[in-house]
Amino acid sequence: MNPSHEPDVALGVHPDLGVGAAVADDRPHLDEVLRKHHFRYSQDLDVYLLPKGTPHNTAVRTVAAATREFQDAGLTVAADPRIMLPPSIPTPDGVTARTTQPGQSLTALTGELHELRRSADVAEVLEQILDEYHGAVGDLEEFIDTAAAWCERLDTPSGRELGQHLRTVAHHVAFLGDRLADAQLDLSAMPDVTPKDAPPLAEVPLPKRHKIPSVTHTARARAAVAPSPKRPADLPAAPGEAPRSTAAPPSPRRTP
């Protein structure tokens, strides 16, 4: 990147200090915007830094929001693309750490589908989603399993129940991966090519999706049917209130 002049704001990432910002001069507006987005000025380093321990996704959203605000004000911003790279995932001893794969997001792979014409090429893209080490299906299953383990660490009845529920969801994700693998094999064996006069993929209507209730709505629904925490456990349930099963579903195993 060779800008014709020095940018008003430069954003980058340091391995020890995290995400930081440097400004070209002492204009109050620059300081105001950065502080609004939780950057704090370091007198010793002469840079603005996000608080230590800021989660990666939060830092990325913060950089994006601050950048938009600067650009809307007509200011120039230079940002290091390495800000987008997520931190490595902790692994047990003796297990090779997983490396970041830029451009392998579902958004990028979905965009790639719009340029493909052969079934075999679509199969290759689907194979990336199903990759054992870097595929989106495996990543989602691992994320849900990790979230389940977090809930179980609470060591409370609610935490254990939610942990079991999440592990069941992870089992469904693994089942979905198996079905996608079947489709990937079928595509790889199909010699079909999209006709030249076929409409662009973006113009093909997609089926309507099932509307998923928001987290707030779901949480309220669960709270409405949950027993009151102030009611002693030995008291009978309220009239019309169905007893809740305390049996936890069996913990599913991740498919190899």
Side-chain angles (χ1 to χ4, degrees):
M1 183 174 182
N2 296 309
S4 57
H5 58 85
E6 184 179 11
D8 296 300
V9 183
L11 295 155
V13 60
H14 187 278
D16 298 322
L17 303 177
V19 175
V23 297
D25 52 45
D26 296 330
R27 277 175 286 176
H29 179 68
L30 301 178
D31 179 85
E32 178 184 344
V33 172
L34 288 171
R35 290 185 181 276
K36 171 184 173 182
H37 292 282
H38 310 295
F39 284 88
R40 294 295 177 263
Y41 181 69
S42 171
Q43 188 75 36
D44 296 335
L45 301 173
D46 191 27
V47 294
Y48 291 83
L49 297 170
L50 285 178
K52 187 175 182 180
T54 298
H56 169 73
N57 287 343
T58 301
V60 171
R61 289 194 296 267
T62 298
V63 168
T67 298
R68 282 195 299 269
E69 188 161 346
F70 283 130
Q71 292 175 335
D72 289 344
L75 301 171
T76 56
V77 181
D80 187 340
R82 287 175 295 183
I83 293 175
M84 300 294 296
L85 297 179
S88 59
I89 300 174
T91 56
D93 293 339
V95 177
T96 304
R98 296 171 59 186
T99 57
T100 301
Q101 298 290 315
Q104 298 301 306
S105 68
L106 281 177
T107 301
L109 294 174
T110 301
E112 189 174 335
L113 288 178
H114 287 258
E115 306 298 327
L116 302 179
R117 305 192 68 85
R118 300 190 309 133
S119 301
D121 294 334
V122 178
E124 288 184 5
V125 174
L126 193 52
E127 186 175 6
Q128 295 182 59
I129 295 175
L130 298 169
D131 183 87
E132 180 181 1
Y133 300 103
H134 305 296
V137 173
D139 284 349
L140 179 58
E141 187 182 353
E142 181 171 354
F143 172 83
I144 297 172
D145 272 336
T146 304
W150 188 95
C151 293
E152 291 164 352
R153 283 198 313 167
L154 297 174
D155 199 25
T156 62
S158 297
R160 289 188 288 272
E161 180 181 359
L162 184 54
Q164 289 287 352
H165 173 69
L166 287 172
R167 293 197 187 280
T168 301
V169 173
H171 178 79
H172 291 316
V173 172
F175 178 79
L176 171 64
D178 291 340
R179 303 287 73 77
L180 287 174
D182 292 340
Q184 189 269 336
L185 290 173
D186 290 340
L187 279 166
S188 63
M190 290 169 57
D192 299 335
V193 177
T194 305
K196 292 183 178 179
D197 58 349
L201 186 57
E203 296 180 5
V204 178
L206 298 177
K208 290 185 178 180
R209 298 179 183 274
H210 174 69
K211 187 175 181 181
I212 301 176
S214 67
V215 173
T216 301
H217 175 79
T218 303
R220 287 176 178 174
R222 288 178 177 174
V225 300
S228 171
K230 296 182 180 180
R231 186 176 65 203
D234 56 347
L235 288 183
E241 179 180 333
R244 300 182 62 188
S245 173
T246 58
S251 178
R253 299 283 185 182
R254 173 175 293 197
T255 56

Short mmCIF file of all heavy atoms in Angstrom, two decimals, residues 42 60 80 133 161 174 183:
data_model
loop_
_atom_site.label_atom_id
_atom_site.label_comp_id
_atom_site.label_asym_id
_atom_site.label_seq_id
_atom_site.Cartn_x
_atom_site.Cartn_y
_atom_site.Cartn_z
N SER A 42 -2.10 6.26 24.94
CA SER A 42 -0.93 5.91 25.73
C SER A 42 0.12 7.00 25.55
O SER A 42 0.65 7.18 24.45
CB SER A 42 -0.36 4.56 25.29
OG SER A 42 0.89 4.32 25.90
N VAL A 60 -12.53 -6.21 15.93
CA VAL A 60 -12.79 -6.06 14.49
C VAL A 60 -13.99 -5.14 14.27
O VAL A 60 -13.95 -4.24 13.42
CB VAL A 60 -13.03 -7.44 13.84
CG1 VAL A 60 -13.52 -7.27 12.40
CG2 VAL A 60 -11.75 -8.26 13.86
N ASP A 80 -4.35 -2.12 8.81
CA ASP A 80 -3.59 -3.34 8.55
C ASP A 80 -4.57 -4.51 8.42
O ASP A 80 -5.36 -4.76 9.35
CB ASP A 80 -2.62 -3.59 9.70
CG ASP A 80 -1.67 -4.74 9.45
OD1 ASP A 80 -1.97 -5.59 8.58
OD2 ASP A 80 -0.62 -4.81 10.11
N TYR A 133 -10.02 -30.34 9.03
CA TYR A 133 -9.27 -29.46 9.93
C TYR A 133 -9.68 -27.99 9.82
O TYR A 133 -9.58 -27.26 10.80
CB TYR A 133 -7.78 -29.58 9.64
CG TYR A 133 -7.26 -30.99 9.84
CD1 TYR A 133 -6.99 -31.82 8.75
CD2 TYR A 133 -7.07 -31.50 11.13
CE1 TYR A 133 -6.53 -33.11 8.94
CE2 TYR A 133 -6.61 -32.79 11.32
CZ TYR A 133 -6.34 -33.60 10.23
OH TYR A 133 -5.90 -34.87 10.42
N GLU A 161 -27.63 -28.50 32.14
CA GLU A 161 -28.74 -28.74 31.21
C GLU A 161 -28.47 -28.07 29.86
O GLU A 161 -28.67 -28.69 28.80
CB GLU A 161 -30.04 -28.21 31.80
CG GLU A 161 -31.26 -28.44 30.90
CD GLU A 161 -32.53 -27.86 31.52
OE1 GLU A 161 -32.47 -27.32 32.63
OE2 GLU A 161 -33.58 -27.95 30.84
N ALA A 174 -23.00 -32.42 13.16
CA ALA A 174 -22.22 -33.53 12.59
C ALA A 174 -23.05 -34.32 11.60
O ALA A 174 -22.56 -34.74 10.54
CB ALA A 174 -21.72 -34.43 13.72
N ALA A 183 -23.81 -35.11 -0.67
CA ALA A 183 -24.07 -34.21 -1.79
C ALA A 183 -22.78 -33.87 -2.52
O ALA A 183 -22.75 -33.78 -3.76
CB ALA A 183 -24.76 -32.94 -1.29
#
